[in-house]
């Protein structure tokens, strides 16, 4: 049993969950007219309504008590003060420093963090200016028109998600592409229409060892040198972002063309560093700074606001409540804003790679549910695909609905339809419709008794399905920064409450190691005897069928 389960608040929440499971949110709303005021938080440019969860004031108090008993506030300060809270890797966790949220004097291992960050921001700014103003020229003297970011996981999802979300803010000075998959189909497709002399590659890899990224980067180098007939062209067409400059240089990237990142930035939290270079090239450096400013505003709120009115804290506690205490297994991310079409994929990595673990930071087995699996899709598309499941399956899936008051691309009549659905869905998921109502509605439509008996059970919606609603004024660089930082800090809080080391990812190593061995075996056609018979036969089939 983990020490968390011995906390008075934890024990209270376990028994309170049993009581709450027999409640319906409809009753909670009808007996408390101030429910919205009690369970919502408004910040400049962003509103969180969490009233449509199976909670009451006692739930909230007990969850806040849990946060206190877990020393959340002290942990938060440890993070911002650069203590090595990534225990298994002995690293500080300072992605917030990338947006200027830490003390200017803060040092880690003798290095001033603020200075390191500013130095790289200056280097980025100068580089972005050169490329966008046409002063950075390719091997044939032509300006750069296309940027190809090669990277995977945190070196891809954050920058690509943001690039997509802020498309309307791009002046198309350069066109940005992302290559993440080692399936050659992706890079081949992207390179096909491009002119090598006008392309700049960014090889983004914290470790500079990731096989998929290295393979894509080699292909890109070959593509360039085949066209330029000159190895020196690499210096004009390749930059790297990495915490491993030695590897980047031995790969062939010129020292001046390397942007630093640091071991105190986790890959999945790195879009604020030079890993976000493609964003800055696309939007210009001022808008990149606005993104950082939005995240900084959220950091400030997270650090200063009382726990009961603290958006990341409340979102984390509600998630822990739904998952650990009420037993939800998954969580849907449902943006009602086309610009956020990659948000679910991004949050999958952010939350699942951070907290998808089953031992505590002290290595003890965890026997309570930790984080849900995260999945999602644009809300409207989901409505016509999987919402059936959200409304009527016997699995309860808590969902975050994310929408904007104003569309960045207004088209007459569209936004109202979109938002009407946005509001309708959370209401429907909460209220449902009971059999009596279904029968009355069918009778009012003149349906026969036989028809009503047959169809009524199928039309019942039990409701009581938890949702959070996040309503942003609009998607712009600042507000997007705020939104992403909200989820980042939520993930941190979840980790503290669940006693999980959120900043390592050992679970990705086993498969990586096996793949490296298997690749050698496939290339040499010599299979080792170490495989189970299923894997061995699959490999045999693959080799024989080639
Ligand atoms: O395999 C998972 C992972 O290590 C992620 O944590 C990381 O974001 C991604 O791979 C890419 O790693 P890198 O930036 O070192 O290439």
């Amino acid at each position: 049993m983990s020490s968390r389960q011995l906390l008075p608040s934890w024990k209270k929440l376990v028994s309170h969950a049993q009581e709450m499971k027999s409640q319906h949110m409809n009753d909670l709303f009808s007996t408390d007219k101030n429910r919205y005021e009690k369970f919502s938080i408004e910040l400049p440019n962003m509103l969180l309504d969490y009233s449509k969860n199976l909670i009451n004031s006692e739930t909230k108090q007990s969850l806040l008590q849990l946060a206190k008993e877990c020393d959340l506030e002290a942990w938060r300060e440890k993070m911002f003060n650069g203590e090595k809270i990534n225990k298994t890797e002995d690293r500080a966790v300072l992605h917030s420093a990338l947006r200027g949220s830490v003390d200017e004097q803060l040092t880690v291992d003798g290095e001033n963090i603020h200075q390191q960050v500013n130095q790289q921001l200056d280097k980025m700014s100068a580089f972005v200016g050169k490329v966008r103003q046409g002063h950075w020229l390719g091997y044939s003297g032509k300006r750069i028109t296309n940027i190809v970011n090669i990277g995977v996981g945190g070196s891809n999802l954050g920058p690509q998600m943001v690039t997509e979300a802020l498309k309307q803010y791009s002046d198309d000075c350069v066109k940005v592409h992302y290559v993440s998959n080692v399936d050659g189909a992706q890079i081949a497709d992207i390179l096909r229409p491009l002119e090598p002399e006008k392309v700049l590659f960014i090889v983004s890899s914290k470790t500079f060892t990731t096989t998929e990224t290295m393979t894509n980067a080699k292909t890109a180098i070959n593509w360039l040198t085949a066209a330029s007939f000159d190895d020196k062209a690499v210096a004009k067409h390749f930059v790297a972002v990495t915490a491993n400059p030695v590897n980047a240089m031995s790969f062939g990237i010129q020292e001046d063309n390397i942007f630093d990142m640091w071991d105190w930035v986790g890959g999945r939290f790195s879009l604020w560093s030079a890993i976000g270079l493609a964003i800055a090239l696309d939007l210009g450096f001022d808008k990149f700074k606005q993104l950082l400013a939005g995240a900084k505003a959220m950091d400030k709120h997270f650090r200063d606001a009382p726990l009961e009115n603290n958006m990341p804290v409340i979102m984390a506690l509600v998630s822990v409540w739904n998952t650990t205490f009420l037993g939800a297994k998954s969580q849907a991310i449902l943006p009602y804003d086309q610009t956020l079409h990659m948000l679910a994929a991004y949050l999958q990595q952010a939350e699942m790679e951070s907290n998808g673990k089953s031992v505590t930071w002290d290595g003890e087995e965890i026997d309570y549910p930790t984080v849900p699996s995260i999945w999602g899709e644009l809300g409207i598309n989901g409505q016509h695909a999987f919402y059936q499941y959200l409304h009527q399956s016997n699995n309860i899936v808590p969902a975050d609905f994310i929408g904007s008051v104003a569309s960045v691309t207004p088209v007459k009549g569209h936004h109202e339809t979109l938002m009407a659905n946005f509001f309708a869905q959370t209401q429907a998921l909460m209220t449902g419709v009971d059999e009596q109502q279904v029968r009355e509605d069918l009778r009012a439509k003149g349906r026969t008794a036989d028809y009503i008996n047959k169809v009524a059970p199928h039309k019942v919606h039990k409701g009581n399905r938890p949702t959070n609603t996040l309503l942003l004024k609009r998607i712009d660089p600042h507000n997007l920064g705020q939104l992403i930082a909200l989820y980042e800090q939520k993930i941190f809080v979840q980790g503290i409450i669940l006693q999980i080391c959120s900043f390592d990812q050992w679970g990705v190593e086993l498969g990586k190691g096996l793949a490296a061995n298997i690749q050698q075996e496939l290339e040499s056609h010599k299979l080792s005897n170490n495989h189970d018979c299923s894997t061995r036969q699959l490999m045999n089939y693959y080799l024989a069928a080639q």
Side-chain angles (χ1 to χ4, degrees):
M1 181 177 279
S2 124
S3 56
R4 287 291 186 254
Q5 290 161 292
L6 301 173
L7 295 173
S9 56
W10 189 285
K11 290 183 186 164
K12 172 137 193 254
L13 283 160
V14 170
S15 63
H16 179 63
Q18 292 316 310
E19 290 160 26
M20 291 304 285
K21 277 180 185 170
S22 62
Q23 303 262 350
H24 198 291
M25 274 185 253
N26 283 337
D27 302 321
L28 300 176
F29 268 89
S30 59
T31 54
D32 186 355
K33 297 292 170 223
N34 296 323
R35 197 171 161 81
Y36 171 79
E37 285 72 22
K38 277 186 189 161
F39 301 127
S40 62
I41 302 173
E42 199 176 333
L43 297 181
N45 304 325
M46 192 187 284
L47 166 75
L48 167 68
D49 171 18
Y50 60 101
S51 63
K52 294 190 183 91
N53 280 283
L54 195 53
I55 55 171
N56 60 19
S57 299
E58 193 183 333
T59 325
K60 184 173 170 182
Q61 280 321 312
S62 304
L63 287 167
L64 290 168
Q65 189 57 32
L66 176 62
K68 293 236 178 257
E69 288 173 9
C70 293
D71 281 333
L72 174 63
E73 287 152 304
W75 279 104
R76 183 180 58 190
E77 286 318 291
K78 283 184 194 180
M79 176 172 70
F80 281 107
N81 291 333
E83 281 192 40
K84 296 194 171 174
I85 61 167
N86 175 352
K87 288 192 180 189
T88 65
E89 295 180 318
D90 196 28
R91 290 175 181 172
V93 174
L94 282 172
H95 44 275
S96 52
L98 300 168
R99 47 240 193 185
S101 298
V102 301
D103 191 293
E104 292 190 7
Q105 307 311 322
L106 181 66
T107 57
V108 172
D109 297 331
E111 299 283 350
N112 181 295
I113 297 298
H114 206 66
Q115 273 170 13
Q116 286 183 309
V117 170
N118 283 343
Q119 227 169 38
Q120 287 308 302
L121 284 174
D122 288 347
K123 184 169 173 174
M124 279 173 80
S125 166
F127 178 72
V128 166
K130 259 192 197 167
V131 173
R132 286 173 54 83
Q133 286 155 25
H135 301 320
W136 181 286
L137 302 177
Y139 68 83
S140 64
K142 298 212 170 116
R143 68 182 290 163
I144 299 297
T145 55
N146 284 269
I147 310 291
V148 178
N149 186 89
I150 299 178
V152 71
S155 301
N156 160 259
L157 283 164
Q160 191 173 6
M161 183 271 285
V162 171
T163 300
E164 288 293 315
L166 299 179
K167 231 182 214 163
Q168 295 305 322
Y169 297 86
S170 164
D171 54 8
D172 293 327
C173 179
V174 289
K175 188 159 170 38
V176 175
H177 314 263
Y178 287 90
V179 174
S180 57
N181 199 338
V182 76
D183 184 335
Q186 191 187 26
I187 192 164
D189 257 12
I190 287 174
L191 296 185
R192 195 172 297 118
L194 302 184
E195 298 170 77
E197 59 193 330
K198 296 181 185 167
V199 176
L200 178 85
F201 291 94
I202 306 172
V203 185
S204 289
S205 177
K206 180 177 170 182
T207 56
F208 230 83
T209 57
T210 305
T211 315
E212 296 89 330
T213 299
M214 297 303 112
T215 307
N216 279 322
K218 272 183 208 136
T219 298
I221 287 192
N222 292 341
W223 179 78
L224 175 79
T225 48
S228 63
F229 303 108
D230 184 1
D231 288 349
K232 291 200 196 80
V234 172
K236 298 189 163 78
H237 292 268
F238 277 79
V239 300
V241 186
T242 186
N244 186 350
V246 173
N247 269 25
M249 281 190 280
S250 44
F251 189 83
I253 312 268
Q254 196 167 291
E255 191 171 5
D256 292 349
N257 290 359
I258 298 176
F259 293 83
D260 293 339
M261 73 179 286
W262 307 272
D263 70 359
W264 40 263
V265 184
R268 53 193 172 275
F269 303 102
S270 65
L271 71 88
W272 323 98
S273 70
I275 291 285
L277 192 56
I279 305 171
L281 285 163
D282 187 26
L283 302 179
F285 204 68
D286 284 348
K287 292 193 189 109
F288 184 71
K289 280 197 344 213
Q290 288 166 24
L291 184 78
L292 301 186
K296 184 177 181 178
M298 181 54 72
D299 288 341
K300 183 165 169 38
H301 164 76
F302 174 52
R303 220 170 166 180
D304 296 346
L307 297 189
E308 64 272 20
N309 224 9
N310 191 310
M311 228 184 242
V313 172
I314 291 292
M315 279 186 66
L317 292 175
V318 168
S319 170
V320 169
W321 169 248
N322 283 331
T323 308
T324 307
F325 294 100
L326 294 181
K329 299 255 183 301
S330 77
Q331 148 102 50
I333 302 292
L334 306 169
Y336 279 68
D337 191 310
Q338 179 67 28
T339 66
L340 298 178
H341 72 94
M342 279 193 65
L343 185 66
Y346 168 77
L347 290 177
Q348 266 175 345
Q349 188 198 15
E351 189 159 329
M352 293 166 82
E353 194 167 75
S354 299
N355 290 335
K357 293 160 190 171
S358 53
V359 292
T360 67
W361 50 53
D362 293 323
E364 280 159 22
E365 198 72 33
I366 293 177
D367 57 4
Y368 43 84
T370 54
V371 291
S373 51
I374 305 289
W375 58 284
E377 170 56 283
L378 288 172
I380 290 291
N381 294 351
Q383 281 178 216
H384 297 277
F386 55 77
Y387 273 36
Q388 162 64 43
Y389 184 97
L390 298 187
H391 284 284
Q392 284 190 316
S393 91
N394 49 15
N395 257 340
I396 302 286
V397 182
D400 286 358
F401 280 69
I402 304 152
S404 312
V405 173
S407 166
V408 182
T409 318
V411 179
K412 198 166 181 292
H414 284 240
H415 199 59
E416 285 63 34
T417 308
L418 176 71
M419 294 310 282
N421 279 279
F422 176 76
F423 296 120
Q425 288 296 332
T426 58
Q427 183 177 332
L429 285 162
M430 194 267 280
T431 57
V433 52
D434 64 16
E435 187 159 347
Q436 189 187 342
Q437 186 65 49
V438 168
R439 286 177 177 277
E440 275 173 27
D441 291 348
L442 289 172
R443 267 196 297 276
K445 285 185 182 148
R447 297 296 194 171
T448 65
D450 275 357
Y451 179 85
I452 293 175
N453 286 338
K454 186 169 102 183
V455 166
H458 299 278
K459 288 181 71 94
V460 170
H461 292 56
K462 290 186 182 147
N464 219 17
R465 316 234 154 186
T467 58
N468 290 320
T469 299
L470 274 166
L471 197 46
L472 278 71
K473 290 261 165 74
R474 60 164 49 230
I475 297 296
D476 63 20
H478 180 280
N479 295 349
L480 182 67
Q482 210 174 358
L483 177 71
I484 301 168
L486 164 64
Y487 276 99
E488 285 184 346
Q489 302 300 14
K490 173 207 153 182
I491 288 164
F492 163 77
V493 176
Q494 272 175 314
I496 298 302
I497 304 290
L498 298 169
Q499 238 179 355
I500 283 172
C501 182
S502 305
F503 301 100
D504 60 23
Q505 55 283 319
W506 299 104
V508 301
E509 297 302 331
L510 178 61
K512 273 189 199 171
L514 284 176
N517 294 337
I518 289 178
Q519 184 166 350
Q520 279 177 6
E521 294 172 37
L522 293 177
E523 282 165 3
S524 63
H525 284 236
K526 285 192 194 118
L527 303 195
S528 98
N529 290 324
N530 294 337
H531 303 293
D532 58 84
C533 68
S534 158
T535 309
R536 194 180 164 79
Q537 291 305 349
L538 287 167
M539 290 164 68
N540 269 328
Y541 178 89
Y542 171 80
L543 289 174
Q546 277 180 335

